[in-house]
Structure formats: C-alpha cells, structure tokens
Amino acid sequence: MEKSLYDELHRMERDHWWFRARRRIVWSLVERYLNVNSGTPLRVCELGCGTGGNLAPLIGRHQVVGIECAPEAIEYARRSLGGCVLNGRLPDNIQLPAGRFDVVLLTDVLEHVDEDAASAATALRLLRPGGVLIATVPAYQWLYSARDAHHHHFRRYGKRQFARLWELADAEMLVLSHYNSFLFPLAAAQRLARKAFGSRSESGDLRLPTPIVNSLLSGIMGSEKTLLGRLSLPFGLSLIAVVRKRRAGTAFVAAAA
C-alpha cells in the first residue's frame, strides 16, 4: 500500500466501525471452531499484520506474532506489540516453524499478493493439526476500482476463485461465505457511482463517523458473526473462509457452507 494509507490505517483501525466489526467476526469464529473459552491462551500468528490493530487486543491473553513487510507498518505495529512483530513477506520469506500455531490470520492480505495460492499454502503450514486459519478478502472483481489500485490490490475475488485457494491436501473447509452483507447494497452503489463518474482520488477514503453512527454500523456488520458458519450469506462486500488443518487420518472436505 501507499505510505499514506498506513498512516490512515493506524489512525482508524482501533475505533472505525469496519475494523471493529471485522475483529468481532474473526475472533468469534476462532473461539467457535477451536472450542475454547475466552480464558484459554492461544498461539496466534497474523500474516500481513499491518499496523497491529488485530493483535493489540490479544496481548497479555495470547501469544502473538505478527509478520509484515512494509517498514512503515512495522514501525506502527511495534509501538503496541513490541518485538512480537517480525519482518517477512509472503509466500516464501516467513521465518517461522511449521506446525507452531493454533490460529493463523490472513485478514485482507491475499489480494495484495501476486502468488496468492502459494501464500495460502504457506499459511496452512504454520498451523498445528486441528488449528484454524481465518482469511478474508474483498469480493467481486466487477467492483475493482481506483481505490483497489491505490491499495495495491492485484484482484478482488469470486467465491469459487477464493475456495480454490484452500483445495489443499491437509485443509478442511469449515466456513466459506460472503460477509458484510447487510451493508452491501449501499456500499456497492457508492463504489459503482464513483467508477461511473470517474472519481480517481488516491487519497484515503476512511472517515470516522459520529459515535452514534459508528456504533450503529459496527453493530450491523458485527451481528453477522451469529450467522456465519450456520448459513452461507449469498452476497457481501467481502469473503471469509475458516479452514482447519486436518489431523492425520481425517477426511478432506472440499467445500462447506
């Protein structure tokens, strides 16, 4: 991403409704599919941790490691995470032992990587048998815009395209779904309008709404955590996958709701 976007990310990711809701969704799925309670310490790795906003709330409760390649992001992340942040780059410059982690996170990272299939395989190798990986990506290539280009996105994903990344011998797909669905019509209309009217601004587009609006939007998006894994949401601005590293002798599952 552009350097200015790391400044924006650092300012926004703690309080902005989208980041808050995504954290709620991701961590609720971690706890559900690992069958752990909130007091159980876990070994958590986030690949492409950015400025550290996802891992910061876990410090003191879990053993966390963040991997990041951008110097600007590493500088911000180390302010809250210290030495837990390491320099590395997907897919083949990740200096961590295989089978080490209970949880691996790839939150809106794979769209930034040219070799996304190799990166998915690298992430899965870091998991212990029975551990879970949670990945999120932006959906629908037809929504690709100047905003995506400014964020250095190689692509947005279709559901089948995203699913193919996890067709690995030791991967068990637990959840594959769109999400950020309730707010999708408004968000999609806004982005299509920007494309149609030729808006090509490269400035950051995140703004923190008033507290009431921010809380409302966070609640609407975050409420989808109760649906994910119980049904597959048919559309949404993003896609999410929960993948378990299967134990020896268990069956491969090619697809899930």
Side-chain angles (χ1 to χ4, degrees):
M1 296 195 303
E2 300 293 334
K3 182 181 182 300
S4 62
L5 292 176
Y6 290 113
D7 299 335
E8 178 187 85
L9 180 63
H10 177 66
R11 291 194 309 271
M12 293 290 169
E13 66 179 342
R14 187 186 70 174
D15 297 321
H16 190 277
W17 62 269
W18 187 87
F19 294 102
R20 287 171 54 187
R22 188 182 65 176
R23 283 194 293 270
R24 288 172 60 195
I25 288 169
V26 167
W27 201 252
S28 72
L29 293 171
V30 168
E31 293 183 335
R32 186 192 310 170
Y33 287 102
L34 278 180
N35 296 316
V36 298
N37 59 49
S38 58
T40 302
L42 299 170
R43 291 171 295 183
V44 181
C45 174
E46 183 173 22
L47 299 173
C49 69
T51 57
N54 289 331
L55 294 179
L58 307 181
I59 288 288
R61 296 189 291 120
H62 303 284
Q63 300 175 36
V64 303
V65 175
I67 301 293
E68 179 54 54
C69 64
E72 299 86 359
I74 291 172
E75 181 180 352
Y76 278 128
R78 284 180 174 167
R79 294 180 189 179
S80 55
L81 302 174
C84 299
V85 183
L86 307 177
N87 195 327
R89 183 182 294 271
L90 287 166
D92 53 10
N93 185 24
I94 305 295
Q95 305 301 315
L96 293 171
R100 167 70 177 169
F101 295 95
D102 302 299
V103 180
V104 172
L105 303 179
L106 281 165
T107 55
D108 292 274
V109 170
L110 291 170
E111 66 273 17
H112 294 272
V113 182
D114 187 15
E115 299 177 83
D116 57 345
S119 298
T122 294
L124 197 68
R125 283 198 297 271
L126 297 177
L127 279 178
R128 64 163 176 82
V132 297
L133 179 152
I134 298 185
T136 61
V137 294
Y140 303 122
Q141 185 63 21
W142 52 267
L143 279 177
Y144 193 94
S145 67
R147 180 182 185 275
D148 291 282
H150 187 50
H151 282 251
H152 296 184
H153 292 177
F154 282 91
R155 67 196 76 80
R156 299 177 72 93
Y157 286 83
K159 190 174 182 181
R160 291 182 182 177
Q161 177 188 11
F162 188 41
R164 284 196 295 270
L165 297 180
W166 312 109
E167 292 176 354
L168 302 167
D170 50 355
E172 178 187 3
M173 184 74 80
L174 302 176
V175 176
L176 176 64
S177 178
H178 288 91
Y179 81 106
N180 199 359
S181 299
F182 297 156
L183 297 171
F184 174 72
L186 179 62
Q190 180 185 55
R191 298 203 180 181
L192 289 173
R194 288 179 180 176
K195 290 180 69 173
F197 291 101
S199 174
R200 304 191 62 84
S201 172
E202 292 190 350
S203 61
D205 60 357
L206 286 182
R207 301 290 184 271
L208 193 64
T210 64
I212 292 175
V213 172
N214 197 58
S215 179
L216 176 64
L217 293 174
S218 178
I220 292 171
M221 179 175 161
S223 69
E224 294 179 10
K225 69 185 178 68
T226 62
L227 302 176
L228 290 168
R230 297 181 171 94
L231 57 87
S232 182
L233 300 177
F235 56 84
L237 203 61
S238 300
L239 286 156
I240 189 165
V242 182
V243 180
R244 176 177 287 142
K245 187 169 186 177
R246 70 185 182 95
R247 304 176 189 274
T250 59
F252 170 67
V253 178

